[in-house]
Amino acid sequence: MKYTLFGIVALFLTLAFCTQSMFSQETIPDLSSITDDDIESIRPARLIVLKEAPEAAVLNSNLTIDITVYNAGEKPAYNVELNDGYWPESDFEIISGSPNQRFEVLNAGDNVTHTYTISGKKLGQYDTAPTTVTFRATEEENAEEAAQIARSTPIPPVRVVTKSEYDRINAVQWSETLVFVLLTLLPIALPAAFHLFANNQIARLADGADLKKE
């Protein structure tokens, strides 16, 4: 009975050791076989898209849209196609440029800005859609390789307003900016004013003491 129990324990330990060795061999890669090309292949192009537009524009006046595409990856992006064609023809008119643009290549670390101008034909508030940018990781247009997609940051709805309403909005924005600046400077200005006041009081007391001595 003792020998049987001992044999079972020995067999269990042997199986456990073999299983652990096999698992370790399967999960730990041979790092010496990894080349620089392998490292670069796991750092693809990564596009960041920033869309900027004013929150309000005057009816029948120019409204400029700026779209910046930045490649934050380690490899170039090829066949970069920008699509911002949301603006309905019934509500907006293209004044200059185009909502769509194509770039052959955007190298790693580079950025490009595309600008076009539209005009609102009707009063109202209009929701905006993110800009869509498609690109490929290789220069050749391989049918088996799916195009990658990047979308822009969201922007607030665009309001098309009258000239008087636009001036009022700008006046409110300037007032809010002024209040913000004052509140920002307040923690700095008050201690500085108190410090100057205290120094003046100390100087006056010192002058008064000197006069009494004389």
Side-chain angles (χ1 to χ4, degrees):
M1 182 69 179
K2 293 181 179 179
Y3 293 106
T4 304
L5 181 61
F6 177 78
I8 293 174
V9 173
L11 178 61
F12 175 77
L13 293 176
T14 303
L15 290 174
F17 176 77
C18 293
T19 303
Q20 183 178 6
S21 299
M22 293 173 60
F23 180 78
S24 300
Q25 291 175 1
E26 291 176 356
T27 55
I28 300 178
D30 184 8
L31 299 180
S32 62
S33 63
I34 298 178
T35 64
D36 293 339
D37 293 337
D38 294 331
I39 296 175
E40 289 298 326
S41 66
I42 61 176
R43 296 176 180 174
R46 183 168 66 90
L47 301 189
I48 298 175
V49 187
L50 175 64
K51 180 178 180 179
E52 297 177 292
E55 296 185 14
V58 179
L59 181 68
N60 296 322
S61 67
N62 291 348
L63 190 160
T64 301
I65 312 294
D66 295 320
I67 302 170
T68 301
V69 183
Y70 174 69
N71 185 356
E74 297 290 337
K75 297 182 67 177
Y78 299 96
N79 301 319
V80 180
E81 296 186 2
L82 181 152
N83 183 6
D84 196 47
Y86 163 77
W87 312 99
E89 294 183 0
S90 59
D91 300 324
F92 294 92
E93 177 184 1
I94 304 296
I95 302 301
S96 63
S98 171
N100 305 317
Q101 184 65 33
R102 186 176 185 274
F103 307 97
E104 292 292 337
V105 60
L106 183 61
N107 291 319
D110 288 352
N111 67 83
V112 62
T113 298
H114 175 65
T115 301
Y116 67 95
T117 304
I118 61 176
S119 175
K121 298 190 290 185
K122 296 180 181 179
L123 297 174
Q125 179 171 293
Y126 300 89
D127 294 328
T128 60
T131 304
T132 300
V133 176
T134 60
F135 64 98
R136 295 181 180 274
T138 58
E139 190 171 1
E140 297 79 13
E141 294 189 7
N142 188 352
E144 297 180 356
E145 178 196 356
Q148 302 183 47
I149 299 176
R151 291 182 173 85
S152 71
T153 51
I155 62 174
V158 174
R159 298 172 57 189
V160 179
V161 298
T162 60
K163 181 65 167 61
S164 58
E165 179 69 9
Y166 181 81
D167 293 338
R168 187 189 68 80
I169 293 173
N170 279 345
V172 171
Q173 290 178 345
W174 276 107
S175 300
E176 293 176 348
T177 302
L178 180 60
V179 171
F180 175 77
V181 171
L182 291 176
L183 292 176
T184 303
L185 294 177
L186 195 59
I188 302 174
L190 283 180
F194 179 79
H195 178 72
L196 291 175
F197 176 77
N199 286 342
N200 289 335
Q201 293 298 320
I202 293 173
R204 289 181 181 180
L205 291 175
D207 293 341
D210 291 340
L211 290 176
K212 288 182 180 180
K213 290 180 181 180
E214 294 176 357

